[in-house]
Amino acid sequence: MANDGTLTRVDVGGYSLAIRCSGRGRPVVVLEAGAGLASGRWRRTQRVVERTNRVCSYDRAGIGASDEQPVGVERTTAEDLHALLARARIPAPYVLAGHSAGGAYVVDYANAYPEDVVGIVLVDSVGTGGLPYGDMPLVVLEAARDRGPGWIPTQGDVAAISENGVHVLAPESGHHVQAGQPELVAAAIRAVARGGQLPPCDSFVRFGGACP
């Protein structure tokens, strides 16, 4: 499939999902948007990540340029994404980055296909229970502006689930950190993609991050 940022529709078994890949370098980075949001919300961050890694964003079923699941099909989002990556011939391993509710989707994928995933970046995410970590590289990015009432106050606790987790604040961003501070999100993705022990929080300050 095209690797130049072109949005391509891929048949995943009777319906098609849209995916946009660009860049070179492994592991492949897969970007998961928030609830009801299309892949274009990742555009600014994808343009930075593609300098060092192959990176793909996609539209879940019924969103953006992707088809609705046909009546009678009951695949999970993780199963849809797994089929899409296989049909598009995008081989593992993957770094998964999920924004908002997309964080829950990437956690579900990591639980369903742990052998495919080498690290996760959660971008102001919600619903991240059941993290399958141990010492898997994990960066938790938390927006520091315009927090609504009832927003999760325990992002640092989420990062602590991994023995190799780092909690970083995005002081100049509201909820859509991937649009407001793409260089910071890309730095988190690159750190995870390199593998091994993650650098401490203060190493992200030069990319606009801050430490709790």
Side-chain angles (χ1 to χ4, degrees):
M1 61 165 290
N3 200 53
D4 58 1
T6 300
L7 194 66
T8 303
R9 284 167 46 85
V10 177
D11 187 290
V12 293
Y15 57 106
S16 294
L17 300 180
I19 186 168
R20 185 192 317 271
C21 295
S22 56
R24 295 286 189 277
R26 300 189 72 188
V28 177
V29 177
V30 179
L31 306 174
E32 186 82 55
L37 301 178
S39 57
R41 292 299 183 104
W42 279 104
R43 189 70 57 85
R44 294 189 67 192
T45 292
Q46 182 159 353
R47 287 172 176 164
V48 181
V49 176
E50 68 187 19
R51 300 171 192 165
T52 57
N53 291 77
R54 190 179 190 191
V55 53
C56 301
S57 54
Y58 81 107
D59 296 339
R60 290 186 298 275
I63 296 174
S66 290
D67 296 336
E68 296 273 3
Q69 285 186 347
V71 174
V73 174
E74 296 183 354
R75 277 183 180 164
T76 66
T77 297
E79 290 168 339
D80 259 357
L81 177 57
H82 191 256
L84 173 61
L85 295 170
R87 293 291 182 95
R89 298 181 180 178
I90 301 167
Y94 310 121
V95 168
L96 305 180
H99 168 247
S100 193
Y105 293 129
V106 301
V107 168
D108 288 346
Y109 189 98
N111 278 309
Y113 307 101
E115 68 283 356
D116 287 358
V117 181
V118 295
I120 291 178
V121 177
L122 298 177
V123 183
D124 215 39
S125 293
V126 298
T128 52
L131 291 164
Y133 288 118
D135 63 351
M136 179 181 286
L138 167 68
V139 176
V140 176
L141 285 171
E142 179 181 0
R145 293 175 55 187
D146 305 322
R147 307 316 301 274
W151 196 256
I152 293 178
T154 55
Q155 297 283 315
D157 293 341
V158 174
I161 290 173
S162 173
E163 297 170 8
N164 192 12
V166 180
H167 179 204
V168 182
L169 298 179
E172 301 304 320
S173 293
H175 182 45
H176 293 274
V177 184
Q178 77 278 30
Q181 291 186 258
E183 294 285 350
L184 176 59
V185 178
I189 290 170
R190 287 194 301 269
V192 168
R194 282 193 292 268
Q197 186 63 38
L198 288 174
C201 174
D202 58 12
S203 68
F204 295 96
V205 171
R206 66 191 177 102
F207 299 103
C211 296

